[in-house]
Amino acid sequence: MKDSAPQAVHLADYTPPAWLVERTELIFRLDPTATRVISSIRFHRNPDVPRGDLWLDGEALKLIEARIDGTPLSGHEMTERGLRVPADRLPQDSFTWEAEVEIAPAENTALEGLYMSKGMYCTQCEAEGFRKITYYPDRPDVMAPFSVRIEGEPPVMLSNGNPVRMERGVAVWHDPWPKPSYLFALVAGDLRAVEDSYTTGSGRKVSLAVWVRPGDESRCDYALDALKRSMRWDEEVYGREYDLDVFNIVAVDDFNMGAMENKGLNIFNSKYVLASPETATDRDYEMIEGIVAHEYFHNWTGNRVTCRDWFQLCLKEGLTVYRDQQFSGDARSHAVKRIDDVLQLRARQFREDNGPLAHPVRPGSYVEINNFYTATVYEKGAEVIGMLKRLVGDAAYDRALRLYFDRHDGDAATIEDWLAVFQEVTGRDLQQFSKWYTQAGTPRVEVSEAFADGTYTLTLRQHTPPTPGQSVKDPLVIPVAVGLLSPNGDEVVPTTVLELTEAEQSFSFPSLGAKPVPSLLRGFSAPVILTRETSAEERAFLLAHDTDPFNKWEAGRSLAKDVLTRMVTDGASPGPAYLDALERVARDEALDPAFRSLALRLPSDDDMAQTLFDGGVTPDPLAIRQARERLGNALAERLSGVLPDLYEAMNIPGPYTPDARAAGCRALRLTSLGLLTRLDQGTLAARQFRDADNMTEQLGALSCLLDHGRGQDELQGFYRRWRDDRLVMDKWFMLQVLHAAPLDAAGIADQLTAHPDFDWKNPNRFRAVIGGLTANAAGFHAPDGAAYRLVADWLIRLDPLNPQTTARMTTAFETWGRYDADRQAMMTGELRRILATKDLSRDTTEMVSRILGDAA
Ligand code: B3K
Ligand code: ZN
């Protein structure tokens, strides 16, 4: 779908629909190139607004016929984006719209609407894909019960809700819960079910099934287990029960994102469903658990209570991410989960919030809504909820959530509705807090301190840098969790939450015997960048003594960043403070192995680039990579006495299990292997690759070898063994690019795109190679610009087929403003080349224009 003059949509222009839907009946006559969709939609006038025209969204549809109350349609106006029937052509209060349209799922390469993946029909409607299926008021504030009849050859034909009729050639489904069209789903194909059941707290039995292609049945157990645990957890923690007789999950190979929460029929990228020890890594298992939970939790936060309009996206996404993070923390380790989440937040959301794509958690306008499924809406959206909970307390949070569900069940709600329940329950004025939803940018909090007469005073200053379209920023409500440690390491003041509301504020702690060491922003209590002048010794002290596990890790991380910064800028050697501190961590058997593994990992190249840029230094990606290599080598040498033991001790006997404890041991074992490979040139890694009985250890060993320019034979062997397994082959493709030496990365990626198994129309495979290249920071930013060119070439090629995936991947270029003039010129040159492409999609046009900003 091309659109040469894309129009922005503004939150301020929201108007409620003139016509609401009472019920929606659909018949699908499936055919790959000529599917007929017959709709019968009962409309009634919205009593709250003046009587108006009927607008039905519809794109790329062949209209066969349409009638209103049985009379052929006339007097209407049709555009590329829909159909308008003037109010004076409509019955007074209610009518039935009937239409028949034809669509061609086999020709749909955008993977939005009804499309085909390996012979299987499937849909993706969020945000605005339903309009590619039939004419409809395709907006989330129009909710209706759906009845769906599917006629066709496929042996399995699924839709939302409960099954009514299932026979050869026909399936009928009824979804009694009113829902917006974006939650509609249909799947049909030769699918096999792996079944289970779940009995809800109130005793209702729900049939569960994971539907996969023949041959994949043995890889569904973990997803099913995660689903049952999620269902139980939502009952226990949020008091939310499931509400249909069946819950189906389908695994699809061609999918633009992770998964989709369609009512009663979740559709997943097969990568986030299928797992076996031989083919999936610990990280895959963790992602499957988190995403299954996320999509399931949407049943209440998203489906039963949905969004009034797409500006309110964070209402369902921020809350559902927050809930899945809580769930994973409960299922695994809260400390490790928090560290992982903050690593992700900084890597993706801080990067976005500090560049040209910065936007508020609730944006004020968009051109293409698919471009706003961002780290800011999701992850910062979740952080905002975490802050709210911290400010009001757990009990008030629970009361507010119960009120939210009671009051808004069946509604299409807004952020104002969400904040109102908190305001009512707590009596607290959330006016200033609400700015977290409307103000973009990552706040900086600067800390200074004073100690006199036994009183310790912390002065906090906040400041949010300007972002595109928002030059002036107001102070926010920032909860800063603080604890104080005495010089001997005892905690003298346990965690208290300071509420920073002014641009500058001081907080005093009296009656202290000595100047304490502050542990600030415990648990990462707010998504801000905290700066404070401090010494390596103090950071090492906190790494050794802090009782807050997040800050303990953070102390080590800051220490590593300080060391790397000096190594990059002055060519300094890593000082003893960092190496000593890390040796203590490595040797501390009281610490969780997963935590130790995280503490021993160095900050990523991209994290260092952002850190240097924030500190006023233009980052040189190759110099960063070299400094990280030197620091890695110094660490390996320093730990050479403990690494072999650690490597052995973390080898858990017995068959593979994906639980957090076992995964933590494997993580520490692999971190040790990574360091040992620096000392033994890969002997141990080659042995581990040979002997591994699970993908985590095999892939981990292969990565270590590739990092040191070895592993070519292993790579071949891996290919021979796994060439028929698409998910493992995605790993094979990605690994080679991700672990390529900086100057080889673009060349390797280029070669891989010529490989017979490089199916570039499959988003997972495309992301493996092209996304792998953009994730290899030193390789992507290689000085010859070859990677920039290659990525741009492929984005230009993919755009006409799949705008969504293309647009998303343009974010590789969002950091251009950080770099030197040569790199800036090359990156913006590629962006302009993309923008100049004839018939570029609305999606990609919006993204590239925003990334270029004034440089366009
Ligand atoms: N709600 C979907 C994302 C839809 C993205 C549309 N471009 C998955 C999720 O957040 O659970
Ligand atoms: Zn979601």
Side-chain angles (χ1 to χ4, degrees), residues 431-548:
Q431 189 59 35
Q432 190 188 3
F433 184 83
S434 71
K435 291 181 198 292
W436 277 107
Y437 285 101
T438 52
Q439 187 166 290
T442 311
R444 280 20 181 205
V445 176
E446 252 177 71
V447 185
S448 58
E449 59 193 327
F451 183 70
D453 305 327
T455 296
Y456 178 71
T457 305
L458 276 172
T459 301
L460 307 179
R461 260 175 239 100
Q462 62 164 305
H463 154 76
T464 303
T467 53
Q470 272 189 352
S471 47
V472 183
K473 305 284 182 180
D474 295 327
L476 296 166
V477 186
I478 302 180
V480 181
V482 175
L484 300 180
L485 277 72
S486 75
N488 66 11
D490 297 335
E491 187 164 83
V492 284
V493 174
T495 307
T496 27
V497 178
L498 310 178
E499 288 185 25
L500 175 62
T501 56
E502 313 283 329
E504 177 174 336
Q505 238 169 308
S506 294
F507 301 88
S508 293
F509 301 86
S511 316
L512 294 169
K515 184 177 181 222
V517 176
S519 164
L520 296 158
L521 207 68
R522 283 188 155 176
F524 203 65
S525 58
V528 302
I529 295 175
L530 186 105
T531 50
R532 169 169 173 260
E533 289 297 322
T534 183
S535 63
E537 288 65 32
E538 195 177 294
R539 296 208 199 277
F541 172 88
L542 285 170
L543 175 56
H545 299 290
D546 205 326
T547 54
D548 180 72

Side-chain angles (χ1 to χ4, degrees), residues 170-225:
V170 182
V172 179
W173 291 82
H174 178 67
D175 182 1
W177 297 104
K179 69 164 175 292
S181 48
Y182 82 86
L183 290 171
F184 168 81
L186 179 154
V187 172
D190 180 15
L191 293 164
R192 302 294 144 87
V194 179
E195 290 171 310
D196 204 334
S197 71
Y198 174 82
T199 305
T200 67
S202 69
R204 280 189 324 100
K205 195 167 169 187
V206 182
S207 304
L208 312 178
V210 176
W211 296 88
V212 293
R213 295 200 293 143
D216 287 337
E217 296 91 324
S218 63
R219 298 191 195 177
C220 303
D221 294 351
Y222 190 73
L224 263 174
D225 178 59

Side-chain angles (χ1 to χ4, degrees), residues 276-593:
S276 69
E278 302 74 43
T279 58
T281 62
D282 289 333
R283 178 77 188 149
D284 294 329
Y285 276 96
E286 197 183 328
M287 293 298 290
I288 290 170
E289 178 179 70
I291 296 180
V292 166
H294 180 98
E295 305 312 332
Y296 175 72
F297 296 155
H298 268 313
N299 191 54
W300 274 94
T301 49
N303 302 4
R304 288 285 286 259
V305 182
T306 195
C307 302
R308 186 194 71 173
D309 53 73
W310 292 118
F311 296 101
Q312 321 296 329
L313 185 57
C314 63
L315 181 75
K316 74 177 178 79
E317 295 305 346
L319 179 54
T320 305
V321 170
Y322 184 70
R323 278 151 49 72
D324 84 54
Q325 292 175 345
Q326 286 182 302
F327 166 79
S328 295
D330 285 353
R332 292 167 178 258
S333 140
H334 283 282
V336 169
K337 176 68 181 152
R338 187 64 185 141
I339 296 168
D340 270 337
D341 289 341
V342 174
L343 275 168
Q344 286 294 320
L345 184 80
R346 285 180 173 151
R348 302 177 49 232
Q349 202 277 324
F350 279 23
R351 174 178 150 123
E352 181 168 82
D353 224 0
N354 290 281
L357 295 175
H359 57 274
V361 170
R362 182 170 71 179
S365 75
Y366 59 77
V367 172
E368 170 51 61
I369 185 58
N370 281 324
N371 289 336
F372 284 84
Y373 286 74
T374 60
T376 297
V377 170
Y378 276 63
E379 271 83 38
K380 189 174 180 183
E383 291 300 316
V384 172
I385 290 171
M387 283 190 286
L388 193 52
K389 182 160 183 268
R390 219 160 276 125
L391 289 168
V392 303
D394 294 354
Y397 176 84
D398 287 350
R399 287 201 304 280
L401 266 284
R402 271 165 220 271
L403 179 59
Y404 176 69
F405 292 123
D406 284 350
R407 180 179 291 173
H408 294 294
D409 186 8
D411 278 0
T414 62
I415 289 300
E416 283 72 18
D417 294 329
W418 162 255
L419 290 173
V421 298
F422 281 85
Q423 227 155 256
E424 273 180 47
V425 159
T426 63
R428 202 184 156 109
D429 179 357
L430 292 172
Q431 189 59 35
Q432 190 188 3
F433 184 83
S434 71
K435 291 181 198 292
W436 277 107
Y437 285 101
T438 52
Q439 187 166 290
T442 311
R444 280 20 181 205
V445 176
E446 252 177 71
V447 185
S448 58
E449 59 193 327
F451 183 70
D453 305 327
T455 296
Y456 178 71
T457 305
L458 276 172
T459 301
L460 307 179
R461 260 175 239 100
Q462 62 164 305
H463 154 76
T464 303
T467 53
Q470 272 189 352
S471 47
V472 183
K473 305 284 182 180
D474 295 327
L476 296 166
V477 186
I478 302 180
V480 181
V482 175
L484 300 180
L485 277 72
S486 75
N488 66 11
D490 297 335
E491 187 164 83
V492 284
V493 174
T495 307
T496 27
V497 178
L498 310 178
E499 288 185 25
L500 175 62
T501 56
E502 313 283 329
E504 177 174 336
Q505 238 169 308
S506 294
F507 301 88
S508 293
F509 301 86
S511 316
L512 294 169
K515 184 177 181 222
V517 176
S519 164
L520 296 158
L521 207 68
R522 283 188 155 176
F524 203 65
S525 58
V528 302
I529 295 175
L530 186 105
T531 50
R532 169 169 173 260
E533 289 297 322
T534 183
S535 63
E537 288 65 32
E538 195 177 294
R539 296 208 199 277
F541 172 88
L542 285 170
L543 175 56
H545 299 290
D546 205 326
T547 54
D548 180 72
F550 176 82
N551 265 13
K552 192 178 172 71
W553 169 82
E554 177 81 325
R557 168 91 359 178
S558 313
L559 198 48
K561 283 188 179 178
D562 289 351
V563 170
L564 278 169
T565 300
R566 275 198 309 278
M567 290 174 75
V568 173
T569 52
D570 314 338
S573 310
Y578 176 71
L579 299 176
D580 289 352
L582 280 229
E583 180 164 2
R584 277 195 297 276
V585 169
R587 290 186 184 278
D588 188 348
E589 287 174 14
L591 290 173
D592 178 359

Side-chain angles (χ1 to χ4, degrees), residues 223-235:
L224 263 174
D225 178 59
L227 174 61
K228 286 186 289 181
R229 288 187 284 117
S230 305
M231 295 176 92
R232 186 67 67 213
W233 187 91
D234 214 13
E235 289 180 6

